Amino acid sequence: ELPSLSEPNLKYTSFKSNSCGRYGGGLYTMVAYLDVKHSLFDSNNSGNLGGAAYIGNDTAFFENALFRMNSSNSSGGAIYLEWGINRFTDCRFDTNSAGDDGGALYIRNSMKLLRTIFVENQANDSGGAIAFWEWLREENEIELSQFIKNSANRGGVFGTWKDNQIY
């Protein structure tokens, strides 16, 4: 766990074959700001939320990050995003899986995707690529991104509840 008062910048960092019982197989953070660039999250597992990472902070930026073959027994096969503003630019999510919702991402906040690719992610319940939490009314932006062969019982790409807006 990263200290709660730090503002880590992770560059050219690899998280491979890590596991945990509850939150964030490779990374668990509750910091105010997180910046991840040119990094790899590969084959991590969580017994509960966020196979590769559990992000509970206010702002997280990911650029040129690859999330491959991560899994969670519950939600967020690659990442479980708790709060704040999260941005993904030039990222890729390949073959991540969740036992419940959000094969790649589980979002409880707002999210912006730019030139991000989702390939063959899978969730047993909803949102093969992305699942959105039901109570938030934040705007979510997706631009120049691709979704290829993602699957779930409900919503092969998106699973969303209630008043979410997808633009």
Side-chain angles (χ1 to χ4, degrees):
E1 177 178 347
L2 297 171
S4 62
L5 297 177
S6 69
E7 293 187 355
N9 292 305
L10 304 174
K11 295 178 183 173
Y12 300 98
T13 304
S14 294
F15 296 82
K16 289 185 178 184
S17 301
N18 300 291
S19 64
C20 71
R22 292 191 67 196
Y23 304 141
L27 173 66
Y28 172 89
T29 180
M30 299 293 285
V31 300
Y33 178 86
L34 175 68
D35 189 12
V36 178
K37 293 182 180 172
H38 307 286
S39 293
L40 170 68
F41 293 80
D42 186 8
S43 303
N44 299 289
N45 175 265
S46 169
N48 195 358
L49 304 174
Y54 178 98
I55 310 294
N57 49 307
D58 293 331
T59 304
F61 296 112
F62 293 87
E63 185 179 337
N64 291 309
L66 172 60
F67 297 87
R68 178 178 58 208
M69 295 176 54
N70 299 289
S71 63
S72 74
N73 293 348
S74 183
S75 298
I79 304 177
Y80 186 95
L81 297 158
E82 186 71 34
W83 302 113
I85 299 168
N86 299 282
R87 185 169 293 136
F88 296 87
T89 303
D90 298 317
C91 293
R92 187 174 177 107
F93 293 85
D94 287 345
T95 61
N96 299 286
S97 64
D100 293 325
D101 305 308
L105 297 173
Y106 188 94
I107 310 286
R108 287 186 59 140
N109 49 22
S110 66
M111 170 211 57
K112 297 178 190 249
L113 296 177
L114 177 61
R115 295 183 307 272
T116 295
I117 300 170
F118 294 80
V119 179
E120 294 184 9
N121 298 286
Q122 186 270 331
N124 287 341
D125 192 8
S126 66
I130 303 171
F132 295 95
W133 178 248
E134 63 184 312
W135 294 325
L136 295 178
R137 296 181 181 154
E138 300 289 335
E139 293 180 8
N140 296 291
E141 295 179 13
I142 299 170
E143 187 177 344
L144 301 172
S145 296
Q146 298 178 43
F147 298 88
I148 303 162
K149 293 186 180 180
N150 298 283
S151 63
N153 285 325
R154 296 183 296 161
V157 173
F158 299 117
T160 186
W161 301 270
K162 209 171 178 179
D163 296 327
N164 282 297
Q165 299 174 10
I166 301 173
Y167 294 98

